[in-house]
Amino acid sequence: MNGELKSADLRRRWDPQSLGFATTADVADAAQPVGQPRAVAALRLGAGIASAGYHVFALGAPGTPKREIVERLLAERAASRPAPPDLCYVHNFAEAHRPRLLVLPTGKGAALQRDMDRLIDELRATLTATFTGDDYRRRHQAIDDEISGRLNALLKQLGTRAESQGMALVHTPGGFAFLPSKEGEPMSEEEFHTLPEAEQKRLQALLPDLQEELAGVLRQVPGWAGERANKIRALDREVVQAAVGQMMDAVRARYADLEMVVRYLEAVQNDLVENARYLMEPKAEGSDDAGEEMLDPTAAVRRGALRRYRVNVVVDNAAQQGAPTVFEENPTYENLVGRVDYVSRMGTLVTDFTLIRAGALHRANGGYLVLDAHRLLSAPFAWEALKLALHSGHLRLEPLARQLGFGGPLALEPEPLALDIRVIVIGEPLLYYLLSEYDPEFGELFGVSADFADELDATPEAEQAYVRVLAGLARREKLLPLDAPAVAALLEESARLAGDRERLSMRTDHVGNLMREADYLARADGAERIGAEQVRRAVVQRIYRADRVRERMVEETRRGTFLIDTKDKRTGQVNGLSVMQLGDFAFGHPTRITARVHVGEGHVVDIEREVELGGPIHSKGVLILGAFLSGRYALGAPLSIRASLVFEQSYSGVEGDSASAAELCALLSAIAEVPLKQGIAVTGSVNQQGEIQPVGGINEKIEGFFDVCRAVGLTGDQGVLIPQANVRHLMLRQDVVDAVEAGRFHVYAMSQVDDAIERLSGMPVGGRDELGRFPAGSFDQLVELRLEEFAERMRAFQAPSMGEMGPVVPAIEVVSP
């Protein structure tokens, strides 16, 4: 039988003197990430390899420093890489709905934007001056004079001929007309009627020919107007070319080595020639867009003509040092791939290339993009959009409505961006395994898994590295320095969080929170450094804030609402231990486990499973109990028993096999009719050989039973039986350790179920001798005798129907539908 544990076995103590410093102010930061060699190697591979399909999924338990280490390693890698080019969208003069993408050397995007804005401003002033200047007006007037001169000459010629025949060509508000004339002046109607009749007829006969000739002249006017327009247009081109050419040449010279910019500037120059007049009509001072459009319908046209020459710099890397590292906190579809905004014009939604907005993939191109897996998968269409972009190697900016199959306003189709990016997704292991199992494209794209450990072996070297992590955190967050006893207390809490005295937890968020709370307490005390007392107070206060439910359950146990015996002995009854998790706070509580037996056909009934409150692992544990009974006691006689096991006052689901040792003790006690001590609770899993296996939550379970015993009164006989393999996991609260040291509470280790039976019953278990018999008066013999008694009763019940067939030995079976 394994013995009782001493107080030194219940909690590991760190000697502050062994740490080798006075305060963390004397300790340097960790030069490299601590405790994550596997994850660091994976991140270095993913960040450095250029091949496609090597994006990284960083997986680790919540609280591990995944993001901090990713950020640190990427910063180192990004610093050695060049800054990526700028990304600009400009107007496509051939297809306006497909804006062109200019990929420019770093810093050139903003420069081109400034140059184009300055060019347009200068052109507006120059063109306005040119088109209103004397030279342009004179040349324009010459064209007008030429065209009007042709018309006037023909009209004068026609008027002279008409006048020679007694008719006058006059210009009326309704156009040109022929009237009878006298001495070159048109005659009135009265004068006309005084003429001889023959003369009247002659003049009337002249009208059709004269009108036809006039019509012929007027039919030439549209052609002359077109000729005039062409000459004016040619004049405008000449003037604009002269004004624009020199300015454009100056801009073009600055980008002569960038072919795509040169081609763009040529397209701009050609378009300027055709739309120059829109540049010389500036918007009235103080007017708003909507009001101007109401007064002048051409205002929107002018504004659009001006906007088409702008440069939309969607990503400006001028200030970027090295490759970008973008942490997108809200990875929605639009935040990833970008979006195109719309504005309202006269009640209609319109857009253009200047309203294109970059997404995280644009900003991180040429570098690294870090995303949170849970947020990414929660955002509609974001995961699919990311996979599509990475798989194709191009980023297409498409409205989300189009992804959903809905119609909408006229959408732009910006030129796609060729991607050169490494994506790092940070998430929990469960998400990684689910994606690996159910998403066939996941493995093709995310070929590197950076698996972050949640624990660190507590070697002296690791302890020193861990201390450097704590010192660096204190400095970064401007906390008071911690003295050596405070750091020792934090190491103890870290080991407790790891659930192993030989390891330290890498869930540095928990330890960091304790440091912040201890810093608050130290400042409130007026201290210049954080001491062990503040750390312990921070731990106590954290528990106090979260343990209302635990406190209430202990109180209800003391009042008898929860039926838990912590004194005397009971047959077929054992106190098992379970753990409840409420948020990030876990605590243990005892549960009464009872067993009843009677004659039957080898069934052990799991009542929790019968009512669908027991999970599959718990049912497996009950099945193992049946196997144990068969293997130890049913070697040569029928196992004619029917037993039932139940967690009393359990109204929710029961899962896990950590109570199987307690269930087996209760079952054997019921069979042997031997009472067991109720002051000793049992936790542990048992296998078919009767060996006790380790369980989780061992510290919380011991402390939970201790709290109940203390509430109802410590007798000095109470304690807990735990698996021997769990001893190295003990990091108990100080009050429990003190009670054990004072002899008011006990912790026992067991490696076999026999250890538990002997401790609970106070009698030897036995074990078969060389003849296969159990010693007289042993616990095993009492079990065997009771089972033989059940077998005899079963044979007596079955005898009338068995005839000459002899007894039937049924196999053990656990009823667990």
Side-chain angles (χ1 to χ4, degrees):
M1 180 177 69
N2 297 77
E4 180 177 356
L5 300 181
K6 298 179 181 179
S7 59
D9 301 322
L10 306 183
R11 184 181 180 92
R12 179 179 176 179
R13 296 291 185 187
W14 263 265
D15 182 8
Q17 299 298 323
S18 68
L19 297 178
F21 62 88
T23 72
T24 54
D26 305 325
V27 181
D29 292 0
Q32 296 294 329
V34 175
Q36 304 291 352
R38 180 178 289 104
V40 168
L43 287 170
R44 293 191 191 280
L45 172 66
I49 194 169
S51 302
Y54 281 85
H55 302 283
V56 182
F57 194 106
L59 61 147
T64 51
K66 301 184 290 295
R67 172 160 177 160
E68 292 82 354
I69 292 179
V70 167
E71 185 174 4
R72 179 174 179 176
L73 293 179
L74 291 185
E76 295 174 0
R77 177 66 183 175
S80 64
R81 296 181 58 187
D86 295 340
L87 303 179
C88 307
Y89 275 104
V90 295
H91 183 68
N92 186 337
F93 297 99
E95 297 179 279
H97 69 287
R98 293 181 176 176
R100 292 184 54 199
L101 175 66
L102 300 183
V103 181
L104 305 180
T106 305
K108 288 289 188 179
L112 178 61
Q113 184 184 57
R114 290 192 299 270
D115 287 342
M116 289 302 298
D117 289 344
R118 188 181 303 114
L119 173 67
I120 298 304
D121 288 342
E122 292 175 356
L123 279 175
R124 294 178 72 185
T126 300
L127 291 175
T128 300
T130 299
F131 282 109
T132 59
D134 292 340
D135 182 66
Y136 177 82
R137 289 181 178 179
R138 184 170 54 252
R139 297 177 65 183
H140 191 287
Q141 186 63 45
I143 295 173
D144 290 342
D145 291 345
E146 178 190 355
I147 300 302
S148 62
R150 295 179 190 177
L151 176 61
N152 292 336
L154 291 177
L155 291 175
K156 182 177 181 181
Q157 181 181 356
L158 179 59
T160 301
R161 187 164 56 253
E163 185 177 353
S164 66
Q165 298 177 16
M167 298 291 288
L169 177 63
V170 296
H171 192 187
T172 69
F176 291 97
F178 289 99
L179 296 175
S181 67
K182 182 179 180 180
E183 297 179 356
E185 295 296 329
M187 299 174 61
S188 65
E189 187 176 354
E190 290 79 7
E191 291 175 327
F192 176 75
H193 287 297
T194 63
L195 293 175
E197 183 176 351
E199 183 64 17
Q200 292 182 22
K201 290 182 179 180
R202 183 184 72 81
L203 293 175
Q204 290 176 348
L206 292 175
L207 281 177
D209 292 337
L210 292 174
Q211 288 175 344
E212 178 61 30
E213 190 173 352
L214 175 60
V217 173
L218 294 179
R219 278 196 293 268
Q220 298 181 61
V221 171
W224 295 337
E227 182 181 351
R228 174 188 178 277
N230 290 334
K231 289 185 176 183
I232 295 297
R233 193 176 298 114
L235 173 62
D236 289 350
R237 288 197 189 98
E238 180 184 346
V239 171
V240 173
Q241 287 284 13
V244 171
Q246 185 176 1
M247 295 183 183
M248 291 297 299
D249 288 342
V251 176
R252 192 181 293 111
R254 289 195 285 273
Y255 302 94
D257 57 336
L258 300 176
E259 183 181 354
M260 63 172 56
V261 178
V262 172
R263 291 200 304 268
Y264 166 67
L265 293 176
E266 290 175 354
V268 169
Q269 184 169 350
N270 293 333
D271 191 77
L272 278 170
V273 171
E274 301 296 330
N275 298 281
R277 286 191 170 273
Y278 291 119
L279 298 182
M280 55 181 292
E281 296 182 8
K283 186 173 76 170
E285 292 293 332
S287 64
D288 58 75
D289 293 349
E292 186 184 22
E293 292 171 11
M294 292 285 289
L295 297 173
D296 182 2
T298 66
V301 178
R302 293 200 310 275
R303 189 174 300 106
L306 293 176
R307 291 169 67 91
R308 66 200 286 134
Y309 305 120
R310 295 185 59 189
V311 175
N312 181 12
V313 182
V314 294
V315 177
D316 182 5
N317 287 312
Q320 180 66 43
Q321 300 295 323
T325 301
V326 176
F327 288 80
E328 179 52 61
E329 305 296 346
N330 184 26
T332 62
Y333 176 87
E334 290 187 340
N335 287 351
L336 277 181
V337 305
R339 69 182 190 277
V340 179
D341 289 337
Y342 289 82
V343 294
S344 178
R345 297 289 187 201
M346 301 294 289
T348 302
L349 292 178
V350 296
T351 187
D352 60 33
F353 73 96
T354 63
L355 297 176
I356 296 174
R357 303 293 181 254
L361 287 167
H362 293 93
R363 299 194 303 275
N365 199 42
Y368 307 97
L369 175 60
V370 184
L371 304 170
D372 178 82
H374 186 269
R375 294 175 183 170
L376 175 64
L377 295 171
S378 299
F381 297 96
W383 174 243
E384 294 300 323
L386 176 65
K387 289 193 300 178
L388 178 61
L390 297 180
H391 193 271
S392 66
H394 289 81
L395 176 59
R396 296 183 180 277
L397 202 163
E398 295 180 331
L400 185 56
R402 182 173 297 181
Q403 296 286 332
L404 297 171
F406 298 144
L410 178 64
L412 298 181
E413 297 178 16
E415 183 178 346
L417 168 67
L419 286 178
D420 174 22
I421 193 172
R422 185 65 70 214
V423 177
I424 297 91
V425 176
I426 301 176
E428 299 179 12
L430 177 61
L431 292 178
Y432 173 79
Y433 298 131
L434 288 174
L435 288 171
S436 299
E437 181 70 21
Y438 294 108
D439 191 335
E441 296 177 315
F442 178 72
E444 299 176 10
L445 297 173
F446 290 84
V448 179
S449 61
D451 193 354
F452 282 77
D454 55 359
E455 295 176 355
L456 171 69
D457 290 337
T459 62
E461 296 78 11
E463 291 173 8
Q464 291 300 320
Y466 202 87
V467 170
R468 288 194 290 273
V469 172
L470 301 182
L473 176 61
R475 268 189 289 273
R476 285 194 305 274
E477 301 207 6
K478 296 180 174 52
L479 306 180
L480 293 175
L482 294 89
D483 61 22
V487 172
L490 286 173
L491 291 174
E492 293 176 16
E493 286 303 314
S494 179
R496 177 182 169 89
L497 183 63
D500 194 323
R501 66 173 63 191
E502 299 172 3
R503 294 180 178 175
L504 297 173
S505 173
M506 291 306 299
R507 291 182 54 190
T508 53
D509 65 334
H510 178 86
V511 179
N513 289 337
L514 280 180
M515 291 174 59
R516 297 178 190 98
E517 293 165 20
D519 174 81
Y520 168 78
L521 295 174
R523 292 179 189 274
D525 294 341
E528 296 181 353
R529 62 182 63 176
I530 301 173
E533 190 270 337
Q534 282 93 10
V535 172
R536 295 191 180 98
R537 280 167 55 198
V539 172
V540 170
Q541 290 184 12
R542 169 167 286 203
I543 293 173
Y544 174 75
R545 292 193 300 269
D547 75 340
R548 182 186 63 82
V549 175
R550 180 202 63 82
E551 187 178 271
R552 181 68 179 274
M553 292 182 68
V554 170
E555 175 62 17
E556 292 304 316
T557 302
R558 185 191 66 80
R559 297 174 62 187
T561 305
F562 294 118
L563 302 180
I564 300 294
D565 291 328
T566 60
K567 302 174 184 177
D568 302 326
K569 294 183 176 181
R570 296 288 187 272
T571 300
Q573 179 175 305
V574 173
N575 286 323
L577 298 172
S578 59
V579 174
M580 295 184 66
Q581 186 79 39
L582 298 178
D584 60 352
F585 178 66
F587 63 92
H589 192 77
T591 301
R592 174 183 289 180
I593 300 174
T594 60
R596 299 296 296 271
V597 298
H598 55 277
V599 176
E601 297 182 349
H603 293 270
V604 178
V605 177
D606 176 11
I607 293 180
E608 306 294 333
R609 183 63 175 171
E610 289 286 317
V611 297
E612 299 182 351
L613 286 178
I617 299 177
H618 177 259
S619 297
K620 174 188 174 183
V622 177
L623 285 169
I624 290 174
L625 305 187
F628 174 82
L629 290 177
S630 297
R632 175 171 287 198
Y633 301 110
L635 299 179
L639 189 59
S640 304
I641 183 176
R642 183 175 181 86
S644 62
L645 289 166
V646 68
F647 281 66
E648 303 289 358
Q649 292 185 290
S650 171
Y651 308 107
S652 59
V654 176
E655 181 60 311
D657 63 351
S658 65
S660 58
E663 290 174 312
L664 181 56
C665 290
L667 180 59
L668 294 176
S669 169
I671 296 173
E673 296 184 312
V674 173
L676 304 179
K677 296 176 182 178
Q678 299 302 293
I680 299 178
V682 180
T683 184
S685 168
V686 67
N687 62 24
Q688 294 185 113
Q689 308 301 323
E691 298 171 331
I692 302 299
Q693 303 168 140
V695 295
I698 193 68
N699 292 298
E700 291 79 4
K701 290 176 178 178
I702 295 173
E703 292 164 357
F705 191 65
F706 171 79
D707 291 338
V708 169
C709 292
R710 181 171 58 183
V712 299
L714 290 170
T715 64
D717 296 325
Q718 295 141 333
V720 178
L721 270 163
I722 66 170
Q724 177 67 39
N726 277 126
V727 172
R728 67 175 182 271
H729 301 144
L730 294 178
M731 286 294 294
L732 293 174
R733 289 191 329 237
Q734 187 59 44
D735 56 344
V736 181
V737 176
D738 293 342
V740 170
E741 189 170 4
R744 294 183 293 117
F745 194 75
H746 308 273
V747 179
Y748 308 97
M750 57 178 173
S751 57
Q752 297 282 335
V753 68
D754 294 349
D755 301 336
I757 292 296
E758 290 187 6
R759 181 69 63 182
L760 294 172
S761 67
M763 60 186 303
V765 173
R768 296 185 186 274
D769 57 20
E770 62 276 5
L771 299 178
R773 294 174 297 189
F774 291 118
S778 66
F779 189 92
D780 279 343
Q781 186 193 43
L782 295 178
V783 173
E784 184 178 54
L785 292 176
R786 188 79 185 282
L787 292 176
E788 289 177 354
E789 176 187 343
F790 285 169
E792 289 295 332
R793 293 182 182 178
M794 179 61 72
R795 278 194 289 269
F797 293 148
Q798 294 177 341
S801 59
M802 289 171 52
E804 301 298 326
M805 294 176 60
V808 178
V809 180
I812 184 69
E813 177 185 359
V814 175
V815 178
S816 184

PDB file of all heavy atoms in Angstrom, residues 597-603 638-643 790-791 793-795 797-798 810:
ATOM      1  N   VAL A 597     -26.389  -3.995  -4.574  1.00  0.00           N
ATOM      2  CA  VAL A 597     -26.215  -5.284  -5.261  1.00  0.00           C
ATOM      3  C   VAL A 597     -27.292  -6.253  -4.802  1.00  0.00           C
ATOM      4  O   VAL A 597     -27.822  -6.158  -3.696  1.00  0.00           O
ATOM      5  CB  VAL A 597     -24.818  -5.887  -4.986  1.00  0.00           C
ATOM      6  CG1 VAL A 597     -23.723  -4.976  -5.519  1.00  0.00           C
ATOM      7  CG2 VAL A 597     -24.618  -6.138  -3.486  1.00  0.00           C
ATOM      8  N   HIS A 598     -27.634  -7.171  -5.708  1.00  0.00           N
ATOM      9  CA  HIS A 598     -28.531  -8.263  -5.376  1.00  0.00           C
ATOM     10  C   HIS A 598     -28.337  -9.361  -6.420  1.00  0.00           C
ATOM     11  O   HIS A 598     -27.563  -9.219  -7.373  1.00  0.00           O
ATOM     12  CB  HIS A 598     -29.993  -7.806  -5.349  1.00  0.00           C
ATOM     13  CG  HIS A 598     -30.444  -7.159  -6.613  1.00  0.00           C
ATOM     14  ND1 HIS A 598     -30.213  -5.824  -6.887  1.00  0.00           N
ATOM     15  CD2 HIS A 598     -31.092  -7.656  -7.699  1.00  0.00           C
ATOM     16  CE1 HIS A 598     -30.705  -5.518  -8.073  1.00  0.00           C
ATOM     17  NE2 HIS A 598     -31.247  -6.616  -8.585  1.00  0.00           N
ATOM     18  N   VAL A 599     -29.027 -10.486  -6.196  1.00  0.00           N
ATOM     19  CA  VAL A 599     -28.872 -11.629  -7.096  1.00  0.00           C
ATOM     20  C   VAL A 599     -29.354 -11.237  -8.492  1.00  0.00           C
ATOM     21  O   VAL A 599     -30.386 -10.580  -8.661  1.00  0.00           O
ATOM     22  CB  VAL A 599     -29.669 -12.838  -6.578  1.00  0.00           C
ATOM     23  CG1 VAL A 599     -29.582 -13.997  -7.566  1.00  0.00           C
ATOM     24  CG2 VAL A 599     -29.152 -13.252  -5.208  1.00  0.00           C
ATOM     25  N   GLY A 600     -28.568 -11.622  -9.480  1.00  0.00           N
ATOM     26  CA  GLY A 600     -28.940 -11.332 -10.866  1.00  0.00           C
ATOM     27  C   GLY A 600     -28.100 -12.143 -11.825  1.00  0.00           C
ATOM     28  O   GLY A 600     -27.458 -13.128 -11.442  1.00  0.00           O
ATOM     29  N   GLU A 601     -28.084 -11.705 -13.064  1.00  0.00           N
ATOM     30  CA  GLU A 601     -27.395 -12.459 -14.108  1.00  0.00           C
ATOM     31  C   GLU A 601     -26.151 -11.735 -14.616  1.00  0.00           C
ATOM     32  O   GLU A 601     -25.855 -11.706 -15.811  1.00  0.00           O
ATOM     33  CB  GLU A 601     -28.341 -12.737 -15.270  1.00  0.00           C
ATOM     34  CG  GLU A 601     -29.524 -13.600 -14.886  1.00  0.00           C
ATOM     35  CD  GLU A 601     -30.434 -13.896 -16.072  1.00  0.00           C
ATOM     36  OE1 GLU A 601     -30.236 -13.243 -17.129  1.00  0.00           O
ATOM     37  OE2 GLU A 601     -31.311 -14.745 -15.928  1.00  0.00           O
ATOM     38  N   GLY A 602     -25.398 -11.136 -13.727  1.00  0.00           N
ATOM     39  CA  GLY A 602     -24.125 -10.556 -14.119  1.00  0.00           C
ATOM     40  C   GLY A 602     -24.229  -9.187 -14.737  1.00  0.00           C
ATOM     41  O   GLY A 602     -23.460  -8.863 -15.637  1.00  0.00           O
ATOM     42  N   HIS A 603     -25.160  -8.347 -14.297  1.00  0.00           N
ATOM     43  CA  HIS A 603     -25.324  -7.009 -14.841  1.00  0.00           C
ATOM     44  C   HIS A 603     -24.876  -5.972 -13.821  1.00  0.00           C
ATOM     45  O   HIS A 603     -25.234  -6.059 -12.647  1.00  0.00           O
ATOM     46  CB  HIS A 603     -26.796  -6.743 -15.187  1.00  0.00           C
ATOM     47  CG  HIS A 603     -27.297  -7.587 -16.315  1.00  0.00           C
ATOM     48  ND1 HIS A 603     -27.228  -7.200 -17.623  1.00  0.00           N
ATOM     49  CD2 HIS A 603     -27.874  -8.819 -16.310  1.00  0.00           C
ATOM     50  CE1 HIS A 603     -27.754  -8.156 -18.384  1.00  0.00           C
ATOM     51  NE2 HIS A 603     -28.147  -9.148 -17.606  1.00  0.00           N
ATOM     52  N   PRO A 638     -20.215 -18.999 -11.220  1.00  0.00           N
ATOM     53  CA  PRO A 638     -21.008 -17.997 -11.927  1.00  0.00           C
ATOM     54  C   PRO A 638     -21.029 -16.674 -11.170  1.00  0.00           C
ATOM     55  O   PRO A 638     -21.066 -16.657  -9.941  1.00  0.00           O
ATOM     56  CB  PRO A 638     -22.399 -18.617 -11.974  1.00  0.00           C
ATOM     57  CG  PRO A 638     -22.431 -19.570 -10.831  1.00  0.00           C
ATOM     58  CD  PRO A 638     -21.040 -20.130 -10.710  1.00  0.00           C
ATOM     59  N   LEU A 639     -20.947 -15.584 -11.922  1.00  0.00           N
ATOM     60  CA  LEU A 639     -21.045 -14.249 -11.356  1.00  0.00           C
ATOM     61  C   LEU A 639     -22.514 -13.852 -11.431  1.00  0.00           C
ATOM     62  O   LEU A 639     -22.967 -13.243 -12.376  1.00  0.00           O
ATOM     63  CB  LEU A 639     -20.173 -13.262 -12.142  1.00  0.00           C
ATOM     64  CG  LEU A 639     -20.009 -11.874 -11.515  1.00  0.00           C
ATOM     65  CD1 LEU A 639     -19.390 -11.955 -10.133  1.00  0.00           C
ATOM     66  CD2 LEU A 639     -19.143 -10.994 -12.424  1.00  0.00           C
ATOM     67  N   SER A 640     -23.237 -14.221 -10.392  1.00  0.00           N
ATOM     68  CA  SER A 640     -24.695 -14.053 -10.395  1.00  0.00           C
ATOM     69  C   SER A 640     -25.069 -12.832  -9.579  1.00  0.00           C
ATOM     70  O   SER A 640     -25.568 -12.934  -8.455  1.00  0.00           O
ATOM     71  CB  SER A 640     -25.366 -15.310  -9.834  1.00  0.00           C
ATOM     72  OG  SER A 640     -24.958 -16.442 -10.571  1.00  0.00           O
ATOM     73  N   ILE A 641     -24.799 -11.660 -10.166  1.00  0.00           N
ATOM     74  CA  ILE A 641     -25.012 -10.415  -9.441  1.00  0.00           C
ATOM     75  C   ILE A 641     -25.634  -9.388 -10.374  1.00  0.00           C
ATOM     76  O   ILE A 641     -25.384  -9.389 -11.578  1.00  0.00           O
ATOM     77  CB  ILE A 641     -23.662  -9.880  -8.892  1.00  0.00           C
ATOM     78  CG1 ILE A 641     -23.893  -8.614  -8.054  1.00  0.00           C
ATOM     79  CG2 ILE A 641     -22.686  -9.603 -10.024  1.00  0.00           C
ATOM     80  CD1 ILE A 641     -22.624  -8.095  -7.401  1.00  0.00           C
ATOM     81  N   ARG A 642     -26.450  -8.588  -9.790  1.00  0.00           N
ATOM     82  CA  ARG A 642     -26.951  -7.411 -10.488  1.00  0.00           C
ATOM     83  C   ARG A 642     -26.687  -6.218  -9.577  1.00  0.00           C
ATOM     84  O   ARG A 642     -27.132  -6.198  -8.433  1.00  0.00           O
ATOM     85  CB  ARG A 642     -28.440  -7.525 -10.803  1.00  0.00           C
ATOM     86  CG  ARG A 642     -28.985  -6.335 -11.602  1.00  0.00           C
ATOM     87  CD  ARG A 642     -30.429  -6.541 -12.008  1.00  0.00           C
ATOM     88  NE  ARG A 642     -30.934  -5.414 -12.799  1.00  0.00           N
ATOM     89  CZ  ARG A 642     -30.813  -5.279 -14.100  1.00  0.00           C
ATOM     90  NH1 ARG A 642     -30.181  -6.216 -14.790  1.00  0.00           N
ATOM     91  NH2 ARG A 642     -31.295  -4.232 -14.732  1.00  0.00           N
ATOM     92  N   ALA A 643     -25.929  -5.237 -10.117  1.00  0.00           N
ATOM     93  CA  ALA A 643     -25.517  -4.092  -9.305  1.00  0.00           C
ATOM     94  C   ALA A 643     -25.918  -2.807 -10.007  1.00  0.00           C
ATOM     95  O   ALA A 643     -26.066  -2.759 -11.230  1.00  0.00           O
ATOM     96  CB  ALA A 643     -24.010  -4.126  -9.084  1.00  0.00           C
ATOM     97  N   PHE A 790     -24.526 -15.539  -3.857  1.00  0.00           N
ATOM     98  CA  PHE A 790     -25.419 -15.123  -4.947  1.00  0.00           C
ATOM     99  C   PHE A 790     -25.548 -16.217  -5.994  1.00  0.00           C
ATOM    100  O   PHE A 790     -26.624 -16.469  -6.532  1.00  0.00           O
ATOM    101  CB  PHE A 790     -24.885 -13.843  -5.606  1.00  0.00           C
ATOM    102  CG  PHE A 790     -25.100 -12.604  -4.769  1.00  0.00           C
ATOM    103  CD1 PHE A 790     -24.487 -11.396  -5.109  1.00  0.00           C
ATOM    104  CD2 PHE A 790     -25.915 -12.612  -3.635  1.00  0.00           C
ATOM    105  CE1 PHE A 790     -24.687 -10.246  -4.361  1.00  0.00           C
ATOM    106  CE2 PHE A 790     -26.109 -11.476  -2.889  1.00  0.00           C
ATOM    107  CZ  PHE A 790     -25.499 -10.291  -3.230  1.00  0.00           C
ATOM    108  N   ALA A 791     -24.405 -16.895  -6.263  1.00  0.00           N
ATOM    109  CA  ALA A 791     -24.424 -17.955  -7.272  1.00  0.00           C
ATOM    110  C   ALA A 791     -25.299 -19.125  -6.817  1.00  0.00           C
ATOM    111  O   ALA A 791     -26.049 -19.702  -7.618  1.00  0.00           O
ATOM    112  CB  ALA A 791     -23.006 -18.428  -7.566  1.00  0.00           C
ATOM    113  N   ARG A 793     -27.854 -18.972  -4.793  1.00  0.00           N
ATOM    114  CA  ARG A 793     -29.249 -18.545  -4.889  1.00  0.00           C
ATOM    115  C   ARG A 793     -29.727 -18.580  -6.340  1.00  0.00           C
ATOM    116  O   ARG A 793     -30.858 -19.008  -6.624  1.00  0.00           O
ATOM    117  CB  ARG A 793     -29.411 -17.134  -4.331  1.00  0.00           C
ATOM    118  CG  ARG A 793     -29.183 -17.019  -2.836  1.00  0.00           C
ATOM    119  CD  ARG A 793     -29.413 -15.580  -2.394  1.00  0.00           C
ATOM    120  NE  ARG A 793     -29.155 -15.400  -0.964  1.00  0.00           N
ATOM    121  CZ  ARG A 793     -29.244 -14.251  -0.329  1.00  0.00           C
ATOM    122  NH1 ARG A 793     -29.604 -13.170  -1.005  1.00  0.00           N
ATOM    123  NH2 ARG A 793     -28.982 -14.171   0.949  1.00  0.00           N
ATOM    124  N   MET A 794     -28.857 -18.175  -7.242  1.00  0.00           N
ATOM    125  CA  MET A 794     -29.240 -18.200  -8.651  1.00  0.00           C
ATOM    126  C   MET A 794     -29.477 -19.631  -9.119  1.00  0.00           C
ATOM    127  O   MET A 794     -30.430 -19.910  -9.862  1.00  0.00           O
ATOM    128  CB  MET A 794     -28.154 -17.526  -9.511  1.00  0.00           C
ATOM    129  CG  MET A 794     -28.458 -17.529 -10.998  1.00  0.00           C
ATOM    130  SD  MET A 794     -29.991 -16.627 -11.406  1.00  0.00           S
ATOM    131  CE  MET A 794     -29.464 -14.971 -11.140  1.00  0.00           C
ATOM    132  N   ARG A 795     -28.586 -20.557  -8.684  1.00  0.00           N
ATOM    133  CA  ARG A 795     -28.785 -21.959  -9.067  1.00  0.00           C
ATOM    134  C   ARG A 795     -30.092 -22.496  -8.503  1.00  0.00           C
ATOM    135  O   ARG A 795     -30.806 -23.250  -9.162  1.00  0.00           O
ATOM    136  CB  ARG A 795     -27.606 -22.792  -8.570  1.00  0.00           C
ATOM    137  CG  ARG A 795     -26.388 -22.741  -9.487  1.00  0.00           C
ATOM    138  CD  ARG A 795     -25.405 -23.835  -9.143  1.00  0.00           C
ATOM    139  NE  ARG A 795     -24.740 -23.573  -7.869  1.00  0.00           N
ATOM    140  CZ  ARG A 795     -23.597 -22.903  -7.744  1.00  0.00           C
ATOM    141  NH1 ARG A 795     -23.006 -22.423  -8.813  1.00  0.00           N
ATOM    142  NH2 ARG A 795     -23.057 -22.709  -6.557  1.00  0.00           N
ATOM    143  N   PHE A 797     -32.770 -20.767  -7.940  1.00  0.00           N
ATOM    144  CA  PHE A 797     -33.861 -20.200  -8.729  1.00  0.00           C
ATOM    145  C   PHE A 797     -33.997 -20.902 -10.072  1.00  0.00           C
ATOM    146  O   PHE A 797     -35.090 -21.110 -10.594  1.00  0.00           O
ATOM    147  CB  PHE A 797     -33.630 -18.705  -8.969  1.00  0.00           C
ATOM    148  CG  PHE A 797     -33.706 -17.886  -7.707  1.00  0.00           C
ATOM    149  CD1 PHE A 797     -32.934 -16.732  -7.551  1.00  0.00           C
ATOM    150  CD2 PHE A 797     -34.546 -18.254  -6.656  1.00  0.00           C
ATOM    151  CE1 PHE A 797     -32.998 -15.983  -6.397  1.00  0.00           C
ATOM    152  CE2 PHE A 797     -34.612 -17.505  -5.505  1.00  0.00           C
ATOM    153  CZ  PHE A 797     -33.838 -16.365  -5.367  1.00  0.00           C
ATOM    154  N   GLN A 798     -32.861 -21.274 -10.662  1.00  0.00           N
ATOM    155  CA  GLN A 798     -32.873 -21.836 -12.005  1.00  0.00           C
ATOM    156  C   GLN A 798     -33.063 -23.352 -12.017  1.00  0.00           C
ATOM    157  O   GLN A 798     -33.341 -23.931 -13.060  1.00  0.00           O
ATOM    158  CB  GLN A 798     -31.557 -21.509 -12.732  1.00  0.00           C
ATOM    159  CG  GLN A 798     -31.370 -20.023 -12.999  1.00  0.00           C
ATOM    160  CD  GLN A 798     -30.035 -19.723 -13.651  1.00  0.00           C
ATOM    161  OE1 GLN A 798     -29.126 -20.545 -13.580  1.00  0.00           O
ATOM    162  NE2 GLN A 798     -29.927 -18.543 -14.257  1.00  0.00           N
ATOM    163  N   PRO A 810     -23.245 -17.285 -16.590  1.00  0.00           N
ATOM    164  CA  PRO A 810     -23.385 -16.143 -17.517  1.00  0.00           C
ATOM    165  C   PRO A 810     -22.138 -15.263 -17.498  1.00  0.00           C
ATOM    166  O   PRO A 810     -21.449 -15.156 -16.490  1.00  0.00           O
ATOM    167  CB  PRO A 810     -24.598 -15.391 -16.979  1.00  0.00           C
ATOM    168  CG  PRO A 810     -24.582 -15.695 -15.509  1.00  0.00           C
ATOM    169  CD  PRO A 810     -24.070 -17.120 -15.370  1.00  0.00           C
TER     170      PRO A 810
END
